[in-house]
Amino acid sequence: RRQPLNSQARLYVAQAIARKGEIKEAIELLKTGVKVLPLDGNLWTGLADLCWDEGLIEEALQTYEDGLSKIPRHVDFLEAYISRLSFLGSHERALGVIEQKVQQYPNIAYFHYLRAQVLRHSEHHFRADLVEDCLRQALEVDKELYTAADILAVLLAEQHRYDEARSVMNEFP
């Protein structure tokens, strides 16, 4: 007998079926998987990726939204969703998603970091002071989020705030 809750096997079979060209069947297999195992981030990711790769953009985005309602603190899944939205130029939507997560989970440092990244890469919303605040909030929550410290130091140096940049580099060696 096979283990019905083996998500890795389900992912592998779905990928094999998709390579064979049976996309609808592969998608259905993964949709069944997320119904059976709604907290499995790998299945949600596999389903979203398959839809995206097949050009089913709206279905992929809906999969991210549905998945985040089940696994709201799954950092990699959220980051992939934001990346997809940014790729599409949907910076407003990406910002809305991450701001909601920051409000819901203020103690997850990486969410503050992701908010800084979205703001940093948005032409319409970039404000160095907001990016700086997000990075500092991330570091308040987790002093070992060195990526946030590095970006903060660079941001400060770009503003010719060299002493502060050096201080950040020294505080988070």
Side-chain angles (χ1 to χ4, degrees):
R1 287 181 55 128
R2 76 172 207 62
Q3 165 56 286
L5 301 180
N6 186 339
S7 64
Q8 292 304 316
R10 187 175 294 272
L11 274 170
Y12 181 85
V13 171
Q15 290 167 348
I17 291 171
R19 280 192 302 274
K20 204 173 120 185
E22 298 176 16
I23 305 306
K24 281 185 178 180
E25 292 81 1
I27 288 172
E28 285 307 313
L29 184 62
L30 292 175
K31 282 183 176 180
T32 300
V34 297
K35 285 179 186 168
V36 174
L37 296 168
L39 303 179
D40 190 309
N42 291 327
L43 287 173
W44 284 107
T45 300
L47 178 56
D49 287 349
L50 179 59
C51 290
W52 182 270
D53 293 345
E54 293 302 319
L56 304 168
I57 304 305
E58 286 306 314
E59 191 166 346
L61 297 178
Q62 187 62 52
T63 298
Y64 282 113
E65 290 177 19
D66 294 346
L68 284 173
S69 73
K70 303 292 185 189
I71 50 172
R73 295 178 296 177
H74 196 289
V75 172
D76 294 334
F77 192 68
L78 175 62
E79 188 170 28
Y81 182 36
I82 288 171
S83 175
R84 302 288 196 192
L85 289 172
S86 296
F87 177 81
L88 294 172
S90 298
H91 299 289
E92 296 280 335
R93 192 167 167 187
L95 188 58
V97 168
I98 192 57
E99 285 182 343
Q100 179 184 29
K101 293 301 174 190
V102 167
Q103 288 175 351
Q104 288 175 324
Y105 304 101
N107 292 326
I108 298 179
Y110 204 77
F111 287 179
H112 293 282
Y113 166 76
L114 284 177
R115 181 171 181 246
Q117 290 294 81
V118 170
L119 288 168
R120 202 167 140 236
H121 296 293
S122 172
E123 294 175 15
H124 302 294
H125 297 285
F126 178 78
R127 282 191 23 215
D129 61 324
L130 288 178
V131 174
E132 179 181 344
D133 287 347
C134 292
L135 293 170
R136 290 189 186 279
Q137 288 169 349
L139 291 168
E140 277 182 36
V141 175
D142 183 355
K143 294 198 181 308
E144 293 183 2
L145 188 54
Y146 299 116
T147 305
D150 292 344
I151 292 172
L152 177 58
V154 169
L155 180 70
L156 294 169
E158 287 172 346
Q159 298 173 38
H160 307 286
R161 295 163 59 189
Y162 303 115
D163 290 339
E164 289 178 76
R166 262 192 298 265
S167 175
V168 168
M169 295 304 292
N170 291 333
E171 186 177 346
F172 305 98

